[in-house]
Amino acid sequence: MSGVARRQSSPGGRAASAPLLGRETEPTIFELSAPGRRAWSFRTTGLPEWSAEELVPAEHRRAAPVPLPEVSERDLVSHLTRLSHRQYGVDLGAYPLGSCTMKYNPKVCDEAAAAPGFRDVHPATPPSAAQGWLQVLVELEEALCAITGMAAATLQPAAGAAGELTGLLLMRAHHELAGEARTRVVIPESAHGTNPASVRLGGYTVATVGTDARGLVDRAALARVLGPDVAGMMLTNPNTLGLFEEEIVEIAEMVHGVGGLLYYDGANLNPILGVVRPGDMGFDIVHLNLHKTFATPHGGGGPGSGPVAVGAGLVDLLPGPRPVRVGDEFGFATPARSIGRTHSFHGNALVLLRAWCYIALNGREGLRRVAETSVLNANWLRERLRGAYDFPYDRPVMHECVVSAATLKHETGVRALDVAKRLLEHGFHAPTIYFPHVVAEALMIEPTETESPETVAALADALLAIAAEARAHVARGKKQSALLAPRTTPVGRLDEARAARRLVATFDARAEPTT
Amino acid sequence: MGGFVPHTDADIAAMLEFLGLEDLAELYAVVPAAIRLAGLDLPEAVSEADLVASLGDLAAKNRGAASGVVCFAGGGAYDHEVPAVVRALAGRSEFVTAYTPYQPEVAQGVLQALFEYQTMVARLAGLEIANASLYDGAAALVEATNLAAATTGRSRVYCSQGVNPRWVEVLRTFARGSGQAIEIVGLRDGVTAFDGVGAAPAGAVVVAYPNYLGVLEDLAPARRAADRSGALLVVCQDPIAAGLLRSPGEFGADVVVGEGQALGNPLGFGGPYLGLFSCKAEHVRRLPGRLVGETVDREGRRAYVTTLRAREQDIRREKASSNVCTNETLMAVTAAIQLGWLGPAGLREVALRCARGTRYCREALLAIEGVEPVATAPVLREFAVRAAVPPELIVERLLGEGYLAGIPLRQGFEGTSAEGGLLVAVTERRTRVEIDGFVSAFAAVVR
């Protein structure tokens, strides 16, 4: 019926493994510490063994060593290995966090970043001795420009939010050069939360524009909010509802018509790779999240990488120094009117190298295939969920779909949060919930292209089973099991209010021991 | 076709049929025809084997440890010992391939490791609270002055010339948006002349310990300057030097930031690194970035969760004083593992070995005729020298001999006695043989 044949009795993509022995708490490393234990050793240097007293003036010398834990190497290994068993990762199973593009991270990219010829190069190495690195950075910039339809890019921003702020400072510098002091930046109400925060740090105030009945930018509202004091507009396309802003060319004309610049939040670039480019839509500034679209591992919350690409009119403003071609070789150059550095060195180079590898491995056709399949998976999943969840904007989607548990909650008391926690018990990571804010009880689901049809089917089955179970429990007058979820994870649902009310952010802040 | 899309042609046909579509292009019916792309201007896909081969060719064009170059460069990026156990543990795919811990029940591994990291970083700083890391040292400094400006309501920043000049440039870049006025306080024999900082109100006084020239500055004058101007004292701390030095907290620092690369992370041509950030508990509501706190689950078991989320950009939106979202979690986990490997004695030992190598190398270089110190004040693990030969030339020539000699002092030191100097770092990995060879080669170049 759904077009996906069952090739195995137990559908894939789920985390079916469990900790070996129950759900005991792992002690902190401080509790594992025993005085005098050690793991360290260093090179034999043959240098004179001057004492600390001979080397450090008394007024600077610390009285006692920094109180760090004292553990053996073996204990360090078992502690961290046990912690790793309490952690979900995309290597384990599907991770359908909407807007986060948690696709599979190719292993060869990690191996490239671990190669000593790249890994062990100091960032102050002169260009003559870093030609391999500079070639990678220049070629990556060129590829990102080809993908986005822009003229040049900076690779310095270390994450998407850093890219956003860099982009806004470029916008500011552009207007200042024209002698204009504009004050407002327009963002849609469905925008990522980083957008308004970046706008403020860019020295602007936020003007919000609403969403129309289709889930797209309300152009009439946009016309009302635009004016000569508007510096620009930040937009993601497809937007956070997973919908393509099909009037983007008209929107660009409106923003440009008041002298503003159009900023592309690249969080949702994945579904349009090779299909349509931000530059061709009319965007002037584009940030990319390499840890989303270009499959670099996110490390549990970083490292990211947020290059910013710009149109020809803004190239002179880019942060520097920039890796550039110098004849047949590579060097650094700082643009004439550069806004200045945004990173200590050249950006998150080992992440940039992985993205370069990913683009090479996919190539021209492969990147388009990535986009198409991500859209196929999202639409297929969405169609499977029809009837069980609400479709607030019932239109074909791009890489992700936003469905609502509002009716489910009304009928059964099971909220989006409970669906998410119950899904953990089915062995999947949960989708993004309660975002975008324009949808009540939102579940924002992004399967990505690297999940097989069987995995997407199993995810759909799990989401359907959760909704069906909730409705069946109501029919039978049973207590909702989703409210108790998760019960199979290393810990159960957390008292998040207590964490904020009685802040314990270090081991030393513990007033009373917990077990 | 790249191997990362599992769908067979039959899969795609079946899924399209379920959706009532003829082909994949129909998925993009909403994209206006006028802006559709005919095809990407990129090469065809390469196989993994071909990619590995071309990576090998590119890596061969880089000159680092892999090609026998011995590193004497620092400036915020140091060639420290990273043991196999740190790489093995930090490379576990559960840590590497996780996203931000939005579902804490299945993210206790990362959350507990961050809790342990926060504890260790706060202890290094001698302060009460540390966040879960920021992008790098420069980003941590920017967030520190933002916190100070928001706390004091003042936008003037007195920044020592001894702060890493690249960080100061980043500070200036972001001041374009925040409106902060960055005023540089100059150095005298390598030490910040804070006596010149008067009573003008300010948001932050920034000083580095040790400073960019490697000099150990007394932090008391910085504290007094902060008190005179009503500012918070922000100290840029070197976490390795902390093994021997008093903590900035002992000197009365309000915020301590630092570059955490030296804690188990590779040089990596500049990133990803991590920004260390600690502050007094009274500033926790303005703490930038993520913070992990301890709590309990429904059964009363100890557990960890990102907390005080109301501070964060996605909740506060345009009221936020920071836009930080992603941080450098994997680098922070790595730092916590490295600090666990070092322990109290190991951290002291690595700092001590750096200091020994630094004294030995500095004395040997200064014994060369024509080589002068940039500052005579005490140093710990890095120092600056000058010679008649420009530092860029020294670096290029010594690369030919197998040494990365250091970092030329230019930007940020224009018109000062440090301009044209060379910043040299010696870590615990440098042996007497390496240093002797470096000094001989240096002498041959400057003679």
Side-chain angles (χ1 to χ4, degrees), chain B residues 105-311:
Chain B
E105 297 89 348
V106 291
Q108 287 298 301
V110 161
L111 287 162
Q112 182 170 335
L114 286 176
F115 178 82
E116 295 176 3
Y117 162 86
Q118 288 172 183
T119 303
M120 295 185 211
V121 171
R123 288 178 179 182
L124 281 173
L127 292 175
E128 291 138 310
I129 294 273
N131 75 5
S133 79
L134 294 163
Y135 307 132
D136 62 5
L141 176 57
V142 171
E143 296 291 345
T145 65
N146 286 349
L147 179 151
T151 301
T152 62
R154 292 192 280 272
S155 60
R156 181 181 288 114
V157 174
Y158 287 117
C159 182
S160 160
Q161 195 171 28
V163 173
N164 184 322
R166 286 179 301 278
W167 299 12
V168 176
E169 189 185 339
V170 174
L171 198 57
R172 287 190 193 284
T173 301
F174 289 105
R176 288 166 168 264
S178 66
Q180 287 169 20
I182 315 297
E183 295 189 17
I184 300 297
V185 185
L187 301 179
R188 219 165 25 227
D189 190 24
V191 176
T192 317
F194 278 115
D195 47 345
V197 173
V205 167
V206 185
V207 64
Y209 188 62
N211 71 23
Y212 192 69
L213 302 180
V215 170
L216 300 177
E217 294 198 37
D218 180 4
L219 297 186
R223 180 66 259 177
R224 286 196 295 273
D227 290 339
R228 282 198 299 277
S229 55
L232 300 191
L233 176 60
V234 177
V235 176
C236 307
Q237 180 191 32
D238 174 345
I240 293 295
L244 281 178
L245 300 183
R246 289 170 65 189
S247 71
E250 285 182 62
F251 288 100
D254 297 287
V255 181
V256 174
V257 299
E259 173 51 68
Q261 175 272 335
L263 303 175
N265 287 284
L267 290 167
F269 205 52
Y273 293 176
L274 71 153
L276 311 175
F277 192 103
S278 308
C279 64
K280 291 181 175 170
E282 66 199 74
H283 302 303
V284 68
R285 300 279 156 183
R286 286 202 171 87
L287 185 73
R290 298 224 157 83
L291 181 68
V292 174
E294 188 183 281
T295 187
V296 292
D297 77 353
R298 275 190 171 158
E299 294 171 35
R301 283 177 302 204
R302 184 200 291 171
Y304 305 90
V305 66
T306 53
T307 192
L308 298 188
R309 291 266 299 133
R311 297 168 300 116

Side-chain angles (χ1 to χ4, degrees), chain A residues 437-505:
Chain A
H437 305 303
V438 294
V439 173
E441 298 296 325
L443 291 154
M444 186 194 218
I445 315 170
E446 180 176 10
T448 83
E449 72 282 358
T450 59
E451 297 311 326
S452 67
E454 291 86 344
T455 296
V456 182
L459 175 61
D461 289 346
L463 284 162
L464 291 171
I466 292 166
E469 170 192 72
R471 291 187 165 106
H473 282 351
V474 168
R476 295 187 201 123
K478 280 178 66 180
K479 190 168 164 55
Q480 289 293 354
S481 46
L483 303 184
L484 303 174
R487 294 154 295 187
T488 56
T489 45
V491 295
R493 215 179 282 197
L494 301 188
D495 187 348
E496 300 197 19
R498 170 182 155 133
R501 199 174 59 243
R502 301 170 47 183
L503 180 67
V504 178

Side-chain angles (χ1 to χ4, degrees), chain A residues 1 3 7 23 26-31 39-40 43 45-46 48 50 52 54 59-60 62 66-70 77 79 83-84 86-88 90-91 95 100 102 117 119 121-122 126 128-133 135 161 172 191 193-194 198 200-201 203 246 271 275-276 280 297-303 339-341 343-346 348-350 360-364 369 371-373 375 377 380 421 449-451 483-484 492-495 499-500 504-508 510 514-515, chain B residues 4-7 9 11-12 14-15 18 24 28 30 32 35 37 40 42-46 55 58 61-63 73-74 77 85 92-101 103-110 112 115-116 118-119 123 135-136 138 166-167 169 173-174 176-177 209 217 242 244-246 266 268-272 292-298 301-304 307 313 317-318 320 323 326-330 341-344 346 348 353 356 359-360 395-396 429 432 434:
Chain A
M1 156 204 105
R7 295 198 182 94
R23 302 165 74 199
E26 171 64 16
T28 65
I29 194 167
F30 309 104
E31 292 158 307
W40 57 270
R43 283 184 88 175
T45 62
W50 290 302
E54 291 172 282
E59 63 270 28
H60 290 286
R62 73 164 44 245
V66 181
L68 295 170
E70 297 176 78
V77 167
H79 175 58
L83 286 184
S84 76
R86 301 160 73 81
Q87 179 64 45
Y88 198 96
V90 79
D91 275 9
Y95 216 126
C100 300
M102 284 296 283
R119 185 190 65 193
V121 179
H122 193 283
S128 65
Q131 287 293 298
W133 256 120
Q135 184 174 340
R172 169 171 284 278
T194 43
S198 299
R200 182 183 177 277
L201 290 167
E246 52 197 76
V275 175
V276 56
D280 299 329
H298 201 37
I339 60 166
R341 276 184 181 281
H343 188 269
S344 297
F345 288 107
H346 320 304
N348 280 349
L350 293 173
L361 288 165
N362 279 283
R364 167 172 45 204
R369 185 75 156 195
E372 290 169 341
T373 328
V375 176
N377 270 355
W380 188 91
K421 298 304 184 194
E449 72 282 358
T450 59
E451 297 311 326
L483 303 184
L484 303 174
R493 215 179 282 197
L494 301 188
D495 187 348
V504 178
T506 67
F507 184 74
D508 305 317
R510 272 190 189 159
T514 49
T515 51
Chain B
F4 313 120
V5 175
H7 300 59
D9 289 345
D11 287 333
I12 289 172
M15 292 174 85
F18 176 65
L24 288 168
Y28 294 102
V30 291
I35 56 171
L37 190 66
L40 281 170
L42 287 178
E44 298 289 351
V46 300
L55 282 166
L58 287 167
K61 295 178 186 171
N62 297 325
R63 299 212 51 219
V85 64
R92 287 194 65 92
S93 89
E94 296 88 344
F95 297 134
V96 173
T97 72
Y99 204 76
T100 301
Q103 294 290 334
E105 297 89 348
V106 291
Q108 287 298 301
V110 161
Q112 182 170 335
F115 178 82
E116 295 176 3
Q118 288 172 183
T119 303
R123 288 178 179 182
Y135 307 132
D136 62 5
R166 286 179 301 278
W167 299 12
E169 189 185 339
T173 301
F174 289 105
R176 288 166 168 264
Y209 188 62
E217 294 198 37
L244 281 178
L245 300 183
R246 289 170 65 189
F269 205 52
V292 174
E294 188 183 281
T295 187
V296 292
D297 77 353
R298 275 190 171 158
R301 283 177 302 204
R302 184 200 291 171
Y304 305 90
T307 192
Q313 41 72 30
R317 298 177 78 88
E318 67 264 33
N323 74 337
T326 281
N327 49 35
E328 303 288 325
T329 299
L330 187 62
W341 179 75
L342 286 170
R348 183 179 186 280
R353 285 167 178 251
R356 286 173 182 157
R359 170 175 287 187
Y360 182 83
V395 171
E396 283 293 343
R429 299 197 69 236
R432 182 174 196 151
E434 289 172 344

Side-chain angles (χ1 to χ4, degrees), chain B residues 392-410:
Chain B
E392 294 81 2
L393 195 61
I394 297 175
V395 171
E396 283 293 343
R397 292 241 176 108
L398 283 181
L399 267 170
E401 305 296 318
Y403 302 97
L404 181 58
I407 303 181
L409 295 170
R410 294 285 179 197

Side-chain angles (χ1 to χ4, degrees), chain A residues 8 32 97 105-106 122 162 187 230 269 292 335 370 374 386 389 440 449-450 457 464 477 504 508:
Chain A
Q8 57 207 61
L32 296 170
L97 268 174
N105 310 142
H122 193 283
I187 57 172
V230 166
L269 182 73
K292 298 180 180 179
V370 161
S374 75
R386 186 178 290 279
Y389 296 90
E449 72 282 358
T450 59
L464 291 171
V504 178
D508 305 317

